[in-house]
Amino acid sequence: MPRVICDNERCLACKACEIACAVQHSAAKSLAGVFEEPPRVRVSRLPEARGLPLRCMQCEEAPCVMACMSGALQRDAETGLVKHDADKCVGCWMCVMVCPFGGVRPLRSRGVVTKCDLCEGEETPACVAACPTHALSVDETTAEEV
Amino acid sequence: MAYVIIGNSAAAVSAVEAIRSVDRDTPISLYCDEQAPIYSRCMLSYYLAGHVEKDDLRFRDDGWYERMAVEPHLGSAVTGLDADRKKLRLADGSEASYDKLLVATGAKARSLGRPGEELPGVFRLRNLPDAEGIVARLGEANRVAVLGGGLVGLKAAYALRERGMEVSVLVRSDHLMSQVADARAGDLIRERLEEKGIEVRTGVDAKAIAGDGGVKAVELSEGGAVECGMVVVGKGVDSNLDVVKESGIEAHWGIVTDEHMQTSAPEVYAAGDVAETRDLLTGERTVNAIWPNASEQGRVAGFNMAGRERTYPGSLAMNSVDFYGRSLMAVGKVRKLDQGAEEVVDYQPERGRYRKLVIRDGRLIGLLIVGSMQGVGTALALIKAGVPVAEIQEVLLAEDFDYAKILHLVKQYPEAFGRREFLLTVKSAVG
Ligand SMILES: Cc1cc2nc3c(=O)[nH]c(=O)nc-3n(C[C@H](O)[C@H](O)[C@H](O)COP(=O)(O)OP(=O)(O)OC[C@H]3O[C@@H](n4cnc5c(N)ncnc54)[C@H](O)[C@@H]3O)c2cc1C
Ligand code: SF4
C-alpha cells in the first residue's frame, strides 16, 4: 500500500504541506480553501525549527478500522487503502482514540473526522508536490520488504 | 471444510473479513437470531436521537454477504452445540455441521431486577427492536427516567433530550460513568449534561417502577418517586452464553479463550462481548465488552481459523464519548488508584480540561481525559506496549503532546507503533 512518508531530518516545519492539502481538498481548489477545509496532515513543531507532519500511515493492521463502529472507516478491497466516508461518520472519536500517529483528525465543528486519502486520482499527493525540501515522498514498500 | 459463524456484528464481520483475506473458497455460513441486516448497535443512540436514519445503522452494505461469499441465515437462532459431533442445534429443531466455529454471540443488557420492569414503557437499549420500541413510544411520554449513569444510559439520556423529552438520570454511585472514569471526569460530563437540561441525581437507587398498564413513576429506596412515562434501564451487559451452556466448553464471565481466541473445545473459537480474555494490564481474565476489542478478537480468531497463526495480546478497557462537544476518553486503569500506582494530573475544571496519567512501575497503565483529545492514540500505543514513560511524564501531560514529541522513544520501541509503520514514518531516523 502506498503512503506518504517523511524524511524528518529535512522537515523545517514550514507547513507548505498543510496548505497544499487544504487547497487540494477544498471545493474550489483555491487558496481560499485553506479557511474552508482543514488539512488532513498536521505539522507538529519540534525544537530547532524542525517538525514532523502527522498523517495517516495506512497501517496494515489499522486500529482505526477496527474501532470504527459506523463503517465510515473501511479498507478498500481494491486499493488496500484505509478510506473514510464522511457521510457515515458520526464523530464518536473512537478512531482518534486508537490512532498511534495522530493521523485521524477530529473536526468538532462538523462532527466528523478527516484523514489522508493520498489525493486519490492525482498523480502525486498535494503535500508531496508542495514540500520545498523534498522531505515528503510516496512509499510503496510492502510489509515483506521492510 | 466449512466455517460457521454465530453472530452478525463487530466480531463476526471482522472474522469473516480476515478469513476471506486469505481463503476465498471455503464455504462460510453465518447464523444470527436477529432478522435485521448487519447493523451497528453503537449507533442506536444516534438513531434514537433522530440524527441518523435506520439505514445509516449499517456498517457494511447489502452486497457484503455476496462479496464475502457468506451464506447468511438471519432470524435463525442457535440454541446449543455439540462439540464432539461438531454440530449446532438451531431454534427450529434442525442441526448444522461445522468444521471450524466462531461463537460471536455478544452480550445482552442486564435487567434491573426490580418490580415493575415488565410494564409497557420500560426499555433497555441493546438491539434494534429496543430502539424501535422507544421511538414508537416517543409521543406518549414527556418525561423519561434513565436508570444508570454508564455509557449506554448517558447516550440514551442524550438522545431522548435531543427529542425534546424531560430527562432524569438516576445513578446509584456518587458520580457518573463510575465504571470507566473517576469523579472529576464524571462531574465534568455531568456539568455539561445539566447545562443542556438533563437532570442528574447521584446516590439514588430505584426500588421499583410503579404504574398500571404503563409506567407512572420510579420509586426510590431513599423514599420519594420520580414521575415519568418512560424508563430506560442501562445497568451494563452480560455475555450471551446460552449457546455453550451444556456443551462442556469452559465459561465464567464469558467463554474462556486462549491467545488464539480458541475455546476449550477444538476448532471452536470465541470473540467479542461473549469472550473472556486476558486483560493486557491486570493479566486477569475478563470481558472487556467494547467494539474495538470485538473487532480485533474477531480478526485474530478469523486468521487462526483459516490456518494463519495470530496471537491476541490481550484486551484493554477503553472508551470514548462526546456530549455536546465535551469529550471524555478513558483508557486502561483510571477508575481507582491501585497499590503502587501514582497519578499525574492536570485538572482545569473552569476550562473543561482534565488529563490524568496513571503510572505504575514506570509504565503508563491509564489515561483519562476530558476536553482535548490531543495525543490520546499515541499514549494508548505506549500503554499497550508497556513502554517506560518515567522520562516523558511532563511531555505526556502537556497540551501539545503528540507522536512527534516522542520520536526518540518511538525509535527504541518500534513494535509499539507497528514496526513497519514506524520505519516508514521516520525513515531517516533509522536509515
Ligand atoms: C447503545 C450502545 C452504544 C455503544 N457504544 C459503544 C461505543 O461507543 N464504543 C464501544 O466500543 N462500544 C460501544 N458499545 C458496545 C458495542 O456495541 C459492543 O462491544 C459490540 O457490539 C460487541 O460486538 P460483538 O460482535 O461481540 O457482539 P454483539 O454486537 O452483541 O452481537 C452479537 C451478535 O450475535 C447474535 N446472536 C446472539 N445470540 C445468538 C444466538 N443464540 N444465535 C444466533 N445469533 C445470536 C446477535 O443477534 C448479534 O448479531 C455500545 C453498545 C450499545 C448497546
Ligand atoms: S469518528 Fe467517524 S470514522 Fe471515527 S470511529 Fe467514529 S464513526 Fe468511525
Side-chain angles (χ1 to χ4, degrees), chain B residues 57-349:
Chain B
L57 299 174
R58 302 182 183 193
F59 68 99
R60 290 296 182 269
D61 61 43
D62 284 340
W64 185 85
Y65 294 115
E66 205 182 313
R67 284 201 309 283
M68 291 289 146
V70 167
E71 192 185 296
H73 301 264
L74 305 184
S76 180
V78 178
T79 54
L81 84 91
D82 183 335
D84 295 330
R85 289 170 52 235
K86 294 196 165 180
K87 298 261 187 238
L88 299 180
R89 270 191 304 284
L90 304 177
D92 66 5
S94 65
E95 284 193 329
S97 320
Y98 66 83
D99 294 297
K100 302 200 182 208
L101 175 70
L102 176 69
V103 183
T105 48
K108 54 180 167 297
R110 238 171 245 157
S111 56
L112 183 64
R114 300 288 154 91
E117 200 172 4
E118 61 309 317
L119 283 168
V122 180
F123 297 97
R124 289 178 272 175
L125 183 57
R126 180 73 193 178
N127 297 322
L128 187 54
D130 295 337
E132 287 174 323
I134 300 175
V135 169
R137 218 181 155 86
L138 279 175
E140 288 165 51
N142 299 322
R143 290 191 53 90
V144 56
V146 174
L147 308 184
L151 180 89
V152 173
L154 294 186
K155 283 189 165 190
Y158 167 84
L160 293 171
R161 184 70 192 148
E162 287 289 284
R163 294 280 192 170
M165 290 184 82
E166 299 293 321
V167 182
S168 297
V169 180
L170 309 178
V171 191
R172 206 175 324 173
S173 41
D174 61 359
H175 63 88
L176 293 180
M177 306 204 69
S178 61
Q179 295 303 307
V180 298
D182 64 11
R184 287 191 202 112
D187 287 348
L188 282 170
I189 293 301
R190 174 179 188 159
E191 179 184 88
R192 181 52 57 93
L193 296 177
E194 285 176 343
E195 275 165 27
K196 300 290 177 177
I198 294 175
E199 184 193 29
V200 177
R201 293 176 65 179
T202 46
V204 292
D205 196 16
K207 185 174 69 180
I209 300 168
D212 183 9
V215 174
K216 289 268 166 16
V218 174
E219 293 170 356
L220 304 175
S221 302
E222 298 71 16
V226 177
E227 279 179 36
C228 56
M230 187 192 284
V231 170
V232 179
V233 178
K235 289 288 182 188
V237 297
D238 291 313
S239 298
N240 280 324
L241 298 172
D242 288 354
V243 170
V244 296
K245 218 169 219 165
E246 278 145 29
S247 68
I249 291 175
E250 199 185 341
H252 304 119
W253 303 107
I255 300 174
V256 176
T257 55
D258 66 12
E259 72 277 17
H260 297 121
M261 301 312 302
Q262 193 165 355
T263 69
S264 61
E267 315 297 4
V268 180
Y269 295 76
D273 284 7
V274 77
E276 197 177 294
T277 55
R278 212 165 274 293
D279 186 284
L280 208 54
L281 294 171
T282 63
E284 283 161 20
R285 306 208 126 276
T286 183
V287 179
N288 273 319
I290 53 163
W291 188 274
N293 287 340
S295 307
E296 189 181 356
Q297 291 165 16
R299 190 167 166 80
V300 170
F303 278 121
N304 285 312
M305 290 165 76
R308 305 289 172 102
E309 196 195 336
R310 289 278 176 111
T311 52
Y312 183 62
S315 57
L316 183 61
M318 53 179 143
N319 250 304
S320 161
V321 288
D322 186 308
F323 294 113
Y324 307 106
R326 181 168 283 182
S327 303
L328 177 150
M329 286 181 181
V331 183
K333 303 219 60 173
V334 295
R335 223 146 52 91
K336 42 183 197 272
L337 200 58
D338 287 359
Q339 263 220 323
E342 56 168 320
E343 295 183 349
V344 188
V345 169
D346 175 11
Y347 178 50
Q348 302 178 45

Side-chain angles (χ1 to χ4, degrees), chain A residues 67-70 72-73 84 88-95 113:
Chain A
C68 180
M69 39 95 140
S70 73
L73 283 162
H84 181 252
K88 291 202 72 100
C89 181
V90 292
C92 70
W93 319 133
M94 293 292 288
C95 52
V113 299

Side-chain angles (χ1 to χ4, degrees), chain A residues 2-4 16-26 29 37-41 55-56 58 79 81-84 114-130 136 138:
Chain A
R3 65 188 32 83
V4 174
C17 54
E18 283 191 8
I19 294 168
C21 180
V23 168
Q24 171 68 28
H25 293 99
S26 67
K29 299 207 180 193
E37 190 62 37
R40 295 154 188 226
V41 46
R55 66 226 174 270
C56 169
Q58 304 288 350
T79 61
L81 294 179
V82 175
K83 283 190 135 181
H84 181 252
T114 185
K115 67 174 275 298
C116 170
D117 60 356
L118 277 163
C119 296
E120 250 194 319
E122 305 288 324
E123 202 159 314
T124 310
C127 57
V128 173
L136 295 176
V138 174

